C-alpha cells in the first residue's frame, strides 16, 4: 500500500517547505504541495520536520583494535542507527597489516549481510600494500562497488602506512577516480610524546590529549594534503577536531587540492575535561584525535555553517568501560580509542547545532545526509526527498525534550558518551525504503533488511 505523508515541513539541503510526500513501494513517488492518493495510508506530519534518512559516513562496527574487538555487532549498531534516524552507514573496514584487502572486504560484507538492519556501504582501509593488495584494490573498485579507501596517518606499527605506499595508493586513487579518506595525525610525533609522558609518570586518560595536541593533527592534515597536491587525488579528512586542522585543509583547498573535511559528533559537543573525570571514568572519552578545549566547538560549528566542513559523522567506536577501556588503567596508551554515538548523532546536531543557532536545518540535512551521499556516490538514491529517491524518511518531532541515556540505547556498550545531556528533538518515525523501522527513538523492525550500497567512482 502507498504511504502519504501529509503536511510536514519537508527539509532538504536545497529547500524548506510544507509539502506532501507520496511513497510507493521502496521509492518516493512524488513530492508536492497537495497530493491526493485514494487508498494510501495517511501519516499526518503537521508540526513535524520531514527529513531524508540520515547518513553516517564514519562508523566502526566490526573493529579489531588495540588488542580487543568493538562490542557492537551489525545488528545492534544498525538498530541503534535507525532508532536515531540514520538509515545508511558507511563502515570502515579495518584489516590488519597481514590481511588481504579482498578477504577483509568479504569478511566485513558477510557480517553486515547477516545482521545489518539499515543500508550500508564501506570505506576499505589500506594497511597492507604489496603487489597482491594493489591488484585487489583495483579489482574491488571494478567489481565490488568499493569507491573509497581509508588510510591511517596514526597508530604507528598497527594500522599506519608508509609514505612511499601512500603516494602510490593516491596515484592509483587518482587514476581510478576514488576517494582516499584519512585519519590525519603525525604518528611519529604521537609515539614520541606518549613515550615522554609515560616516562614522566603521566599515565591517566587526561594525558591522552597532550600526547597528540592540535599541532600533531594539523601536521597530519598538511602532510596528507601535500600528497594530494602531488598526485591529484581527492582526499577526505575524517574526524577533524580543531580549527588548526580545518585551516590546513582550507589552505590546501585554495591551492586547488580536492579536499573535503568531516566533523564527528564527539568533537562538537564534548571537550577534554571529560577525559579528566575521576576514578578512571575519563577513559570513556578517549578517542583520536582527542577531545579538545571547549573553545574548539565554535571553530567547528562555524566551519560547518560556512561549508569548510561538509559532513558530520559519529566515528562510532563502541568499547565497554568494564573489561575494555579499563585495559588502560596502568597507561592511557592501552585504552581502546573510541566513543559510541551512532544513535545520538542526529539529536545532538539538532540540540547543540540547530537549537543553539549555530547551523540551520538545511545545513543539518546537508551535513548529516546529503553531502555524504554526494561525496561518496550515493546521490540521489540516498540523501534526498524527491521522486525516484529511496524512501528513507525521518519524521522528526522538534518539540520533544529529554536527556540522552545509555538505557535508551540499542548499542551494546555499557555507557553512553552523552549520558544526562539535554536532548531536544527526536525521530518520531523512521522509514527505510518505505518500511517503518523506528518510532519515538526506538527500533521497531523485525531485524535484518539492510542492503549493501555498492558505489561507483565519483569522478
Ligand atoms: O578513537 C577513534 N577514533 N577510534 C576509532 C578508530 C579511528 O581512529 O577512527
Ligand atoms: Zn581515526
Ligand atoms: Zn574512525
Amino acid at each position: 500500500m502507498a504511504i502519504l505523508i501529509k503536511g510536514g515541513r519537508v527539509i532538504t539541503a536545497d529547500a524548506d517547505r510544507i509539502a506532501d510526500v507520496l511513497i510507493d513501494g521502496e521509492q518516493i513517488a512524488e513530492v508536492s504541495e497537495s497530493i491526493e492518493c485514494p487508498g494510501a495510508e495517511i501519516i499526518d506530519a503537521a508540526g513535524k520536520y520531514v527529513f531524508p534518512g540520515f547518513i553516517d559516513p564514519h562508523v566502526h562496527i566490526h573493529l579489531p583494535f588495540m588488542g580487543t574487538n568493538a562490542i557492537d555487532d551489525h545488528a545492534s549498531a544498525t538498530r541503534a542507527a535507525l532508532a536515531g534516524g540514520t538509515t545508511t552507514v558507511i563502515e570502515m573496514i579495518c584489516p590488519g597489516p597481514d590481511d588481504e584487502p579482498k578477504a577483509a572486504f568479504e569478511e566485513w560484507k558477510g557480517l553486515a549481510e547477516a545482521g545489518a538492519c539499515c543500508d550500508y556501504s564501506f570505506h576499505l582501509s589500506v594497511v597492507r600494500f604489496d603487489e597482491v593488495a594493489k591488484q585487489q584494490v583495483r579489482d574491488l573498485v571494478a567489481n565490488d562497488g568499493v569507491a573509497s579507501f581509508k588510510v591511517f596517518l596514526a597508530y604507528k606499527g598497527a594500522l599506519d602506512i608508509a609514505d612511499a605506499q601512500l603516494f602510490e595508493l593516491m596515484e592509483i586513487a587518482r587514476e581510478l577516480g576514488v576517494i582516499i579518506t584519512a585519519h590525519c595525525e603525525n604518528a611519529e610525533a604521537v609515539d614520541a610524546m606518549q613515550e615522554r609522558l609515560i616516562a614522566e609518570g603521566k599515565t591517566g586518560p587526561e594525558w591522552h590529549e597532550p600526547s597528540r595536541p592540535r599541532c600533531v593533527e594539523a601536521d597530519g592534515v598538511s602532510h596528507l594534503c601535500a600528497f594530494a597536491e602531488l598526485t591529484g587525488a581527492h582526499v577526505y579528512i575524517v574526524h577533524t577536531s580543531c580549527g588548526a586542522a580545518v585551516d590546513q585543509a582550507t589552505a590546501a583547498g585554495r591551492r586547488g587540492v580536492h579536499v573535503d573535511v568531516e566533523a564527528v559528533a564527539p568533537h562538537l559537543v564534548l571537550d577534554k575535561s571529560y577525559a579528566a573525570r575521576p576514578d578512571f571514568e575519563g577513559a570513556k572519552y578517549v578517542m583520536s584525535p582527542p577531545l579538545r578545549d571547549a573553545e574548539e566547538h565554535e571553530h567547528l560549528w562555524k566551519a560547518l555553517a560556512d561549508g569548510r566542513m561538509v559532513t558530520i559523522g559519529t566515528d562510532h567506536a563502541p568499547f565497554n568501560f568494564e573489561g575494555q577501556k579499563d585495559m588502560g588503567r596502568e597507561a592511557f596508551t592501552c585504552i581502546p580509542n573510541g566513543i559510541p554515538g551512532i544513535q545520538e548523532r542526529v539529536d545532538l546536531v539538532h540540540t547543540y547545532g540547530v537549537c543553539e543557532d549555530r547551523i540551520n536545518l538545511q545545513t543539518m540535512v546537508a551535513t548529516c545526509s546529503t553531502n555524504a551521499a554526494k561525496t561518496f556516490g550515493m546521490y540521489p538514491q540516498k540523501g534526498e526527498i524527491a521522486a525516484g529517491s529511496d524512501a528513507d524518511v525521518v519524521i522528526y518531532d522538534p518539540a520533544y525534550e529529554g536527556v540522552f541515556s545509555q538505557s535508551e540505547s540499542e548499542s551494546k556498550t555499557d555507557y553512553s558518551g552523552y549520558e544526562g545531556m539535554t536532548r531536544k528533538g527526536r525521530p518520531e518515525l523512521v522509514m527505510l525504503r518505505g518500511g517503518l523501522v523506528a518510532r519515538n527513538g526506538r527500533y521497531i523492525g523485525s531485524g535484518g533488511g539492510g542492503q549493501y550500497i555498492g558505489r561507483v567512482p565519483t569522478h
Side-chain angles (χ1 to χ4, degrees):
M1 193 203 302
I3 299 171
L4 181 55
I5 303 169
K6 289 286 286 178
R9 183 171 163 192
V10 178
I11 303 164
T12 65
D14 295 328
D16 181 346
R17 58 183 173 143
I18 304 294
D20 295 349
V21 179
L22 181 64
I23 294 170
D24 190 9
E26 297 204 344
Q27 262 89 44
I28 294 170
E30 187 184 344
V31 184
S32 67
E33 240 169 59
S34 180
I35 302 174
E36 298 302 324
C37 183
E41 178 191 340
I42 308 282
I43 296 176
D44 178 8
K48 306 288 168 14
Y49 301 152
V50 181
F51 292 131
F54 291 99
I55 300 171
D56 191 335
H58 184 163
V59 305
H60 303 271
I61 300 173
H62 176 55
L63 177 63
F65 186 48
M66 295 185 74
T68 187
N69 277 285
I71 204 73
D72 269 329
D73 54 31
H74 284 80
S76 60
T78 55
R79 280 197 310 262
L82 289 168
T86 294
T87 48
T88 303
V89 298
I90 311 183
E91 183 184 3
M92 304 283 177
I93 297 176
C94 289
D98 299 326
D99 301 335
E100 291 186 9
K102 174 73 175 166
F105 173 76
E106 297 297 349
E107 182 187 353
W108 260 258
K109 187 157 177 263
L111 291 167
E113 271 166 4
C117 307
C118 74
D119 287 354
Y120 54 92
S121 198
F122 299 105
H123 307 298
L124 175 63
S125 299
V126 179
V127 183
R128 171 175 166 171
F129 198 58
D130 53 15
E131 292 309 314
V132 171
K134 279 179 221 169
Q135 189 53 49
Q136 291 188 358
V137 160
R138 289 180 179 279
D139 293 346
L140 286 161
V141 173
N143 307 322
D144 294 290
V146 176
S148 51
F149 292 88
K150 168 84 184 283
V151 292
F152 288 94
L153 309 189
Y155 308 127
K156 193 163 142 15
L159 298 175
D160 62 329
I161 181 167
D163 276 353
Q165 298 182 334
L166 179 64
F167 189 88
E168 197 178 344
L169 174 65
M170 287 173 75
E171 286 204 313
I172 292 174
R174 162 69 204 229
E175 178 199 325
L176 300 180
V178 299
I179 303 176
I180 299 293
T181 74
H183 174 139
C184 293
E185 293 180 291
N186 183 318
E188 301 281 345
V190 171
D191 239 33
M193 289 298 290
Q194 287 181 336
E195 212 173 294
R196 181 203 281 177
L197 290 164
I198 296 291
E200 290 171 356
K202 295 170 176 166
T203 57
E206 70 276 22
W207 295 103
H208 176 70
E209 198 278 340
S211 76
R212 41 214 318 153
R214 288 175 279 206
C215 64
V216 162
E217 185 181 347
D219 189 45
V221 172
S222 163
H223 190 78
L224 183 87
C225 288
F227 279 58
E229 192 166 347
L230 296 171
T231 58
H234 177 182
V235 291
Y236 174 96
I237 298 164
V238 301
H239 54 35
T240 309
S241 75
C242 59
V246 176
D247 289 349
Q248 288 294 336
T250 307
R254 286 204 197 100
R255 300 195 303 272
V257 175
H258 193 173
V259 52
D260 291 316
V261 186
E262 172 194 88
V264 293
H267 294 137
L268 293 169
V269 300
L270 303 173
D271 63 71
K272 70 180 188 188
S273 68
Y274 286 77
R277 286 189 169 179
D279 302 324
F280 197 64
E281 203 201 333
K284 294 177 180 174
Y285 301 94
V286 166
M287 67 174 291
S288 295
L291 300 177
R292 304 293 187 192
D293 291 321
E295 70 190 32
E296 290 295 348
H297 295 165
E298 294 315 318
H299 293 301
L300 300 180
W301 285 114
K302 272 203 185 81
L304 287 160
D306 67 24
R308 284 173 294 139
M309 301 182 97
V310 293
T311 51
I312 305 175
T314 56
D315 197 8
H316 179 72
F319 297 100
N320 274 344
F321 180 66
E322 300 281 346
Q324 294 193 297
K325 289 281 186 180
D326 61 9
M327 288 159 56
R329 278 192 190 270
E330 303 302 315
F332 69 85
T333 49
C334 299
I335 300 169
N337 285 200
I339 300 177
I342 198 169
Q343 186 164 332
E344 292 90 349
R345 173 185 65 138
V346 170
D347 296 338
L348 286 167
V349 172
H350 184 256
T351 305
Y352 297 98
V354 174
C355 296
E356 300 280 325
D357 279 335
R358 288 154 150 167
I359 59 170
N360 62 30
L361 283 162
Q362 285 184 246
T363 302
M364 173 176 165
V365 172
T367 55
C368 294
S369 179
T370 312
N371 290 349
K374 287 181 174 170
T375 304
F376 295 113
M378 296 188 280
Y379 185 85
Q381 180 186 356
K382 302 292 185 189
E384 184 59 280
I385 296 196
S389 292
D390 280 0
D392 300 341
V393 178
V394 176
I395 300 177
Y396 196 81
D397 177 8
Y400 174 82
E401 294 205 7
V403 291
F404 292 100
S405 168
Q406 191 267 336
S407 64
E408 292 191 16
S409 172
E410 296 280 349
S411 168
K412 289 185 181 176
T413 44
D414 60 4
Y415 76 99
S416 163
Y418 307 98
E419 190 70 39
M421 286 174 64
T422 299
R423 172 181 176 194
K424 292 184 182 167
R426 75 174 173 191
E428 187 170 286
L429 294 177
V430 180
M431 285 178 227
L432 174 69
R433 283 177 280 101
L436 188 60
V437 284
R439 186 193 297 277
N440 294 336
R442 299 280 181 167
Y443 175 71
I444 57 163
S446 48
Q451 280 184 4
Y452 174 57
I453 307 296
R455 296 176 288 123
V456 291
T458 43
H459 46 269

